[in-house]
Amino acid sequence: MDTDANAAANGPGMPQLDFATFPNQIFWLVVTVVIIYLILSRVALPRIGAVLAERRGTITNDIARAEELKLKAEAAAAAHDKALADARAEASKIVEKAKAEMQAELDVALQKADAEIAARTAESEARIAEIRASAAEAVEVVAKDTVHELLGALGQKSDGRSVNAAVSARIKQGDAA
Amino acid sequence: MEGELVQMGAYIGAGLACLGMGGAGIGVGHVAGNYLAGALRNPSAAPGQTAFLFIGIAFAEALGIFSFLVALLLMFAV
Amino acid sequence: MADGTSGFNIKPMDQFTVKPLFGGDVVHWYTPTNVTLWMALTVLAVTALMVWGSRGRALVPTRGQSLAEMTYGFIYKMVEDVAGRDAVRFFPYIMTIFVFVFFANVLGLIPFAFTTTSHIAVTAVLALAVFLTVTALGFILHGASFLKLFWVSSAPLPLRPVLALIEVISYFVRPVSHSIRLAGAMMAGHAVAKVFAGFAAGVGAAFFVPILAVTALYALELLVAVIQAYVFTILTCVYLKDALHPAH
């Protein structure tokens, strides 16, 4: 049979039980395992462990930094709000002040205007009074002249002094009335 | 004649040894099935027990492999 | 069905033969063999993943670096969860075991490849190394009280000697099952794949049926390769836990 032929050619039918190859396999196995162990323990594992640790550290750091930034942002927002409120208060204060100043200026100007108006009024009144006085004087003169002319026209001799006295009396009477 | 008889016996023995693998199959199925039943009852605990699942399967399977080995030995090494 | 002469001339175990790489028949302990070749490829693959992949040391990892970091994190978490926090100092050893077994298994799935972990010599050395290390560690750390591992103090007193006997036997069976599980699973998958591939040559027109079977089997083998590496590593962690915390 085939198996018999094999067995005759290769020793036992199962190569696994061919003890002549055991030293060879064990030798190369030990060499391989030692090489793999050295590669792993000297190069690969420390490197991968370092990378993993570094990544964990970076993630922790990033989270901490994000937390910090968040706090900072909140503080900044609070500061912004405060600045806004301050600015608003300041602005309203300025507006108040400006209003008050304007009011004061307005008051001064009004007073000045009032005073000027009063002065002008007084002046005008004085002038009016003057004009009225001169007008009254003129009326007297014109009346005397007119009376003289009338009396002359009527053919009567006019007594200058009595006419003047009469006209003056009548005008004073009119003024008093 | 006598050699052929031995050969015949070896082949019959190899065939019989393979029956042992059925037992291992039953065992592995038992382990996996019970794991699944437990995992469906309490799914949250299942991931922590996969290691024990594989250990159990390995132990059950080892015996099947032993019987397979006996079969191989009878076929090729006797 | 086949043409009689070739028939099912399947030699499923030939793929496991250890051959010298550069001719010759004698396999001395130093001879470069296909074992050497595939173990060297394993070292290359490990270097590619763990050293070349992580060369950027980038804070935001590339795809290769992510793979290296995932492998690192996966094994680190396994050691921490299964063997305890104080087992972390053995992490490089366990990582070595995992990447070696993982890449040996997966590289062995390449067609015409030689699977180093399918040999009992290889897995037995790995398992014995774990067993001896763990036992020595237990006695160094705990002295004679390490033997309490076998004395189940929570059991009723009359039962304890019986349990102790069982515990001792199961303790010494550990390296056996530990190594044979890995070698057997690898060997079984490859042998079965070879048998099905041999059927494809023998059944003539119906060749596609075994080829489909081989395809499905290959997917299963990929799963098995990964799971066996995982199981080998996690059992190492379990044994390590026993050495560090022997009390039940």
Side-chain angles (χ1 to χ4, degrees):
Chain A
M1 287 196 70
D2 282 331
T3 43
D4 285 342
N6 272 342
N10 297 340
M14 276 175 77
Q16 278 88 349
L17 297 181
D18 183 1
F19 293 102
T21 65
F22 273 31
N24 181 276
Q25 295 192 47
I26 292 169
F27 170 67
W28 289 114
L29 170 70
V30 170
V31 169
T32 309
V33 168
V34 168
I35 290 175
I36 292 180
Y37 174 72
L38 289 180
I39 289 174
L40 287 185
S41 65
R42 292 290 145 85
V43 185
L45 297 185
R47 186 190 285 178
I48 296 174
V51 168
L52 289 179
E54 192 189 334
R55 180 170 314 146
R56 209 171 303 130
T58 310
I59 289 172
T60 323
N61 277 352
D62 282 0
I63 288 173
R65 218 171 53 210
E67 200 73 26
E68 204 175 293
L69 286 178
K70 200 178 141 202
L71 286 181
K72 249 190 214 163
E74 274 168 8
H80 174 252
D81 282 351
K82 192 171 171 294
L84 206 63
D86 281 357
R88 245 179 222 146
E90 185 82 2
S92 66
K93 217 187 278 172
I94 287 170
V95 167
E96 281 302 309
K97 207 171 139 202
K99 241 186 219 167
E101 263 170 27
M102 274 160 71
Q103 192 64 47
E105 255 169 51
L106 197 63
D107 285 353
V108 169
L110 276 176
Q111 259 173 6
K112 221 163 127 193
D114 280 353
E116 201 166 317
I117 289 167
R120 291 256 181 95
T121 312
E123 199 182 319
S124 304
E125 268 169 9
R127 271 200 17 225
I128 288 169
E130 200 179 307
I131 289 168
R132 189 177 281 167
S134 70
E137 220 169 288
V139 165
E140 201 175 323
V141 172
V142 168
K144 279 173 187 168
D145 282 356
T146 311
V147 170
H148 278 295
E149 293 297 318
L150 275 174
L151 284 177
L154 286 174
Q156 289 196 346
K157 195 166 161 312
S158 60
D159 181 6
R161 215 177 274 175
S162 60
V163 168
N164 282 356
V167 170
S168 295
R170 276 305 282 266
I171 286 172
K172 269 182 195 136
Q173 218 178 326
D175 277 354
Chain B
M1 176 65 201
E2 197 184 319
E4 278 180 16
L5 207 63
V6 168
Q7 192 110 53
M8 189 180 78
Y11 284 169
I12 291 174
L16 286 177
C18 285
L19 293 178
M21 290 191 276
I26 293 172
V28 172
H30 231 299
V31 173
N34 280 332
Y35 171 78
L36 194 60
L40 288 175
R41 271 177 209 276
N42 187 0
S44 60
Q49 306 303 318
T50 41
F52 295 106
L53 168 71
F54 281 108
I55 294 173
I57 286 181
F59 279 127
E61 190 199 20
L63 299 168
I65 290 172
F66 290 166
S67 73
F68 178 75
L69 203 70
V70 169
L72 280 182
L73 286 171
L74 288 170
M75 284 283 287
F76 297 107
V78 173
Chain C
M1 30 189 184
D3 53 331
T5 51
S6 71
F8 292 117
N9 185 12
I10 303 162
K11 299 170 189 158
M13 306 311 278
D14 275 10
Q15 55 181 322
F16 303 118
T17 317
V18 176
K19 291 185 286 263
L21 270 185
F22 309 108
D25 289 326
V26 195
V27 179
H28 298 293
W29 62 267
Y30 53 83
T31 317
T33 53
N34 45 2
V35 180
T36 320
L37 172 68
W38 286 98
M39 286 201 178
L41 288 177
T42 309
V43 173
L44 269 185
V46 171
T47 315
L49 174 67
M50 302 302 290
V51 178
W52 189 73
S54 68
R55 73 198 178 285
R57 301 166 197 239
L59 220 51
V60 179
T62 56
R63 269 177 284 187
Q65 196 183 331
S66 274
L67 273 179
E69 282 169 11
M70 266 165 59
T71 318
Y72 181 100
F74 177 63
I75 302 299
Y76 195 90
K77 196 169 172 301
M78 185 201 288
V79 174
E80 214 177 48
D81 287 354
V82 177
R85 277 215 60 84
D86 46 347
V88 163
R89 62 198 147 122
F90 300 103
F91 168 63
Y93 302 94
I94 291 168
M95 189 76 184
T96 306
I97 290 175
F98 176 75
V99 290
F100 172 73
V101 174
F102 178 82
F103 279 109
N105 286 355
V106 173
L107 286 177
L109 283 176
I110 299 171
F112 301 108
F114 175 81
T115 319
T116 50
T117 41
S118 70
H119 273 260
I120 197 75
V122 171
T123 58
V125 168
L126 285 176
L128 269 179
V130 169
F131 177 76
L132 293 177
T133 314
V134 160
T135 310
L137 195 72
F139 278 113
I140 290 169
L141 286 181
H142 304 284
S145 67
F146 180 59
L147 293 173
K148 278 186 193 151
L149 180 64
F150 307 115
W151 195 251
V152 188
S153 49
S154 56
L157 193 57
L159 271 179
R160 283 185 206 172
V162 184
L163 283 176
L165 188 68
I166 294 172
E167 288 281 327
V168 169
I169 292 173
S170 80
Y171 190 80
F172 284 99
V173 167
R174 273 177 182 184
V176 179
S177 68
H178 202 187
S179 58
I180 290 183
R181 178 183 301 113
L182 178 57
M186 287 298 105
M187 194 201 318
H190 288 69
V192 172
K194 189 72 179 269
V195 167
F196 273 88
F199 285 166
V203 295
F207 63 89
F208 54 88
V209 178
I211 286 178
L212 284 179
V214 170
T215 310
L217 203 66
Y218 195 87
L220 180 70
E221 276 310 293
L222 198 59
L223 185 72
V224 167
V226 177
I227 285 182
Q228 286 301 327
Y230 174 73
V231 161
F232 196 92
T233 319
I234 204 165
L235 284 177
T236 308
C237 291
V238 170
Y239 299 159
L240 189 62
K241 190 200 80 180
D242 279 350
L244 295 172
H245 314 283
H248 273 278

